[in-house]
Amino acid sequence: MVFGFLTSRRRAGLRAQPVPPEWRQIAERNLAIFRRLSPADQEELLQHVQVFVAEKHFEGCGGLELTDEIRITIAAQACLLLLHRETDYYPRLRSILVYPSGYTAHGEHHVEGGIWEEAAEDRLGHTGQRLRALVLAWDSAKHGALDPTDGENLVLHEFAHQLDFEDASTNGTPVLESHAEYLAWGRVMNEEFEALRSAEDAGEPTLIDQYGTENPAEFFAVVTEAFFERPHALRRRHPALYERLASFYRQDPMRFVPIEQERERL
Ligand SMILES: [Zn+2]
């Protein structure tokens, strides 16, 4: 990725500023994963948070008054996906809209063929390729950070979608480094996606959230959640998938999620 010289310099300046002590305290208190990162990774994460908070516009919705706790808890989870990688900080995203809790979205809803209907939909979070915004329910965003092993993490899910959007297509494939990586990614993700669909058809329980059968984009989002929250089980049951995600995220979450704390849902 190539960024402008000025952008690079501005971000380097933001990363070099001292991290406000309250921000670190919020990350330590609210992000179970943060406490288990190495000191170097904690530092890198907080430096990313400084850039993220400076560049993104946060907005409280539904009467929610924004606080540093809200901003930092969300930003730190989002930036976990950026660790160790060359990143452009979610370039398609401008605003993060935060509701106190689940909210109702009103909009056109695709039924089938050319048929659309007006529908109200209850949501905890949402983002879209052309939206430039990402919407979150604060209670779910906070709960996902506090409980790192239930296999669900709303913030990681929605920001995985943003990584998917970086190459301008919503297809469950983020920007990868080489032709060989794309080939391996396509092969493994297709196999795993089809396997999840077959399991769903057969009524079998799965480690991976079956919401991932919706399409490859949702599949990438739910396997990202599983990778960070159930790494031991994911590696045991889906080793090739784990390997692809570890290669892309340049992290091995098994190191920061102790196996005895990882809850099995199956
Ligand atoms: Zn999704």
Side-chain angles (χ1 to χ4, degrees):
M1 272 180 248
V2 181
F3 320 122
F5 170 70
L6 290 176
T7 302
S8 297
R9 197 169 62 175
R10 180 170 43 76
R11 287 173 173 169
L14 287 164
R15 284 193 295 262
Q17 282 174 18
V19 177
E22 312 85 75
W23 290 17
R24 180 184 292 277
Q25 285 159 16
I26 291 164
E28 284 172 355
R29 195 167 60 237
N30 282 5
L31 265 75
I33 283 177
F34 183 83
R35 297 193 289 268
R36 302 201 184 105
L37 294 177
S38 71
D41 282 357
Q42 288 186 349
E43 218 46 54
E44 187 183 338
L45 182 65
L46 291 171
Q47 288 174 5
H48 282 322
V49 166
Q50 288 183 290
V51 176
F52 186 95
V53 169
E55 292 190 356
K56 307 304 179 192
H57 170 71
F58 281 79
E59 201 172 313
C61 304
L64 184 74
E65 200 168 312
L66 282 177
T67 60
D68 275 351
E69 186 195 10
I70 294 173
R71 273 185 276 262
I72 302 308
T73 302
I74 291 169
Q77 292 180 84
C79 291
L80 182 67
L81 302 185
L82 307 181
L83 272 187
H84 307 168
R85 301 172 46 234
E86 193 176 346
T87 175
D88 197 11
Y89 296 94
Y90 304 108
R92 297 180 157 263
L93 180 66
R94 291 226 180 98
S95 302
I96 294 137
L97 313 181
V98 192
Y99 284 86
S101 189
Y103 57 96
T104 306
H106 299 271
E108 297 271 286
H109 177 74
H110 188 226
V111 183
E112 59 179 358
I115 302 169
W116 294 72
E117 64 178 17
E118 279 279 314
E121 195 186 5
D122 293 329
R123 288 177 176 166
L124 297 175
H126 179 69
T127 191
Q129 194 180 325
R130 286 178 298 274
L131 207 52
R132 295 206 162 269
L134 190 149
V135 193
L136 294 167
W138 166 233
D139 55 0
S140 296
K142 186 176 180 182
H143 176 79
L146 285 169
D147 186 340
T149 59
D150 64 357
E152 292 176 5
N153 188 304
L154 174 68
V155 179
L156 298 185
H157 181 109
E158 299 302 337
F159 278 92
H161 283 316
Q162 283 291 328
L163 293 178
D164 184 8
F165 302 158
E166 280 186 27
D167 61 0
S169 63
T170 306
N171 58 2
T173 305
V175 176
L176 302 173
E177 294 215 320
S178 67
H179 184 60
E181 289 268 323
Y182 278 102
L183 286 179
W185 183 277
R187 182 172 46 75
V188 171
M189 292 295 158
N190 283 336
E191 277 173 17
E192 295 282 352
F193 179 70
E194 291 307 327
L196 189 65
R197 284 198 152 171
S198 303
E200 186 193 41
D201 288 345
E204 292 166 7
T206 53
L207 174 73
I208 299 167
D209 188 338
Q210 295 187 358
Y211 183 58
T213 60
E214 288 273 312
N215 55 50
E218 294 304 339
F219 184 77
F220 174 53
V222 301
V223 297
T224 293
E225 292 178 83
F227 178 68
F228 283 98
E229 297 233 332
R230 291 240 172 83
H232 298 276
L234 189 70
R235 176 139 185 273
R236 198 166 60 243
R237 290 161 195 265
H238 305 272
L241 175 61
Y242 188 90
E243 193 190 330
R244 281 306 97 216
L245 292 167
S247 168
F248 170 64
Y249 283 117
R250 297 176 182 274
Q251 297 186 60
D252 183 6
M254 287 197 299
R255 286 176 45 220
F256 54 73
V257 179
I259 190 164
E260 65 278 7
Q261 285 194 9
E262 189 176 310
R263 268 181 265 141
E264 283 276 357
R265 196 165 36 177
L266 294 178

